[in-house]
Amino acid sequence: VRREIFVPLEMTLSAYPVTPAAEGTYVHPYLEGHRLPQEMATPFGAGGIFSTPTDMLKLAQMFLDQGVYRGRRIVSSEAVREMGVDQSARTRINPGASSARWGLGWDSVQQPGLNAAGLRAWAKNGGVVFFASDFFVLPEARLAMLITGSGLDYDPRALAEGLLLRAAKERGAIPALPLA
C-alpha cells in the first residue's frame, strides 16, 4: 500500500499504525471533561489507516480522475469503476443490512441522502469511539469531501450530505435542493 498508493499519491502523513503516535501529533479525546489517552483503534480488516484530510483528498482526486493523479496512472479506470459498483447485488448473502449497497473499499455506493437528489456518491466511514469521519466521492459531480470531528453525538454524515447537496446545486449538478 505504501509503495503503490501512498508514495505515488504523495500521502506522506498516511500509514498503518503499529505504535502509538508521538505526543503532540494527535488530538486527545475527552469524556465528561476528562482527557483520555490516545484512541488507538486499528481495525485493519476495515482499512485501519491513519491519515489526514489533506492526504485523503489526494486519494479523492485520484478517484475523480479515474485512477490518475497528477498525470500518473495509479490504478486502472476499470478498477475505479468496479470499486463503485454495488457489490451487494453480486453476493448470495449480503453481510450488511439488506438496504446496504457497498462497493470495493466503500461502505456505501448509493448514499441515500445524495442518491435521492440524483447524485451517485461513494462513502467510507472512518469513525472510532470518540472521533467520527466520513469520506465522500461523487464521481459524476466531481465533488469530494472528508468531514471529521469529535464527540459521541456528532453526525458527520448528515452535515456532509447537506454541504455536498449545496455544492452540487452551486455547480449545476442538480437543479434544486431536495425538499426535507
Side-chain angles (χ1 to χ4, degrees):
V1 171
R2 178 170 169 56
R3 183 184 71 241
E4 300 293 330
I5 303 295
F6 295 159
V7 170
L9 291 178
E10 304 168 4
M11 294 175 71
T12 58
L13 298 173
S14 299
Y16 287 96
V18 292
T19 60
E23 187 66 42
T25 64
Y26 63 91
V27 175
H28 281 275
Y30 283 80
L31 180 63
E32 298 175 353
H34 300 288
R35 182 177 147 162
L36 302 176
Q38 178 185 3
E39 186 172 20
M40 186 67 180
T42 54
F44 293 125
I49 295 170
F50 280 31
S51 192
T52 64
T54 300
D55 276 5
M56 290 300 295
L57 290 175
K58 291 174 183 178
L59 182 64
Q61 188 65 57
M62 188 265 311
F63 284 124
L64 293 175
D65 290 337
Q66 295 297 305
V68 174
Y69 181 73
R70 293 191 176 179
R72 180 178 177 194
R73 173 129 333 258
I74 308 302
V75 297
S76 70
S77 58
E78 294 82 15
V80 172
R81 276 193 299 278
E82 186 65 22
M83 289 176 201
V85 169
D86 177 10
Q87 301 295 320
S88 66
R90 296 179 173 179
T91 60
R92 290 170 56 135
I93 300 172
N94 189 349
S98 62
S99 61
R101 301 291 176 254
W102 47 273
L104 299 175
W106 298 102
D107 296 338
S108 174
V109 293
Q110 293 181 7
Q111 185 60 37
L114 297 167
N115 197 43
L119 294 167
R120 187 164 66 114
W122 305 338
K124 178 70 181 160
N125 177 274
V128 288
V129 175
F130 292 100
F131 298 96
S133 63
D134 275 284
F135 178 55
F136 291 85
V137 173
L138 287 66
E140 288 86 11
R142 294 198 48 80
L143 291 169
M145 176 181 284
L146 175 90
I147 189 160
T148 188
S150 176
L152 298 175
D153 59 352
Y154 174 67
D155 183 7
R157 185 155 301 205
L159 180 58
E161 283 182 355
L163 291 169
L164 286 165
L165 285 167
R166 283 166 182 77
K169 182 182 178 303
E170 285 179 18
R171 288 183 148 201
I174 57 175
L177 293 174
L179 299 175

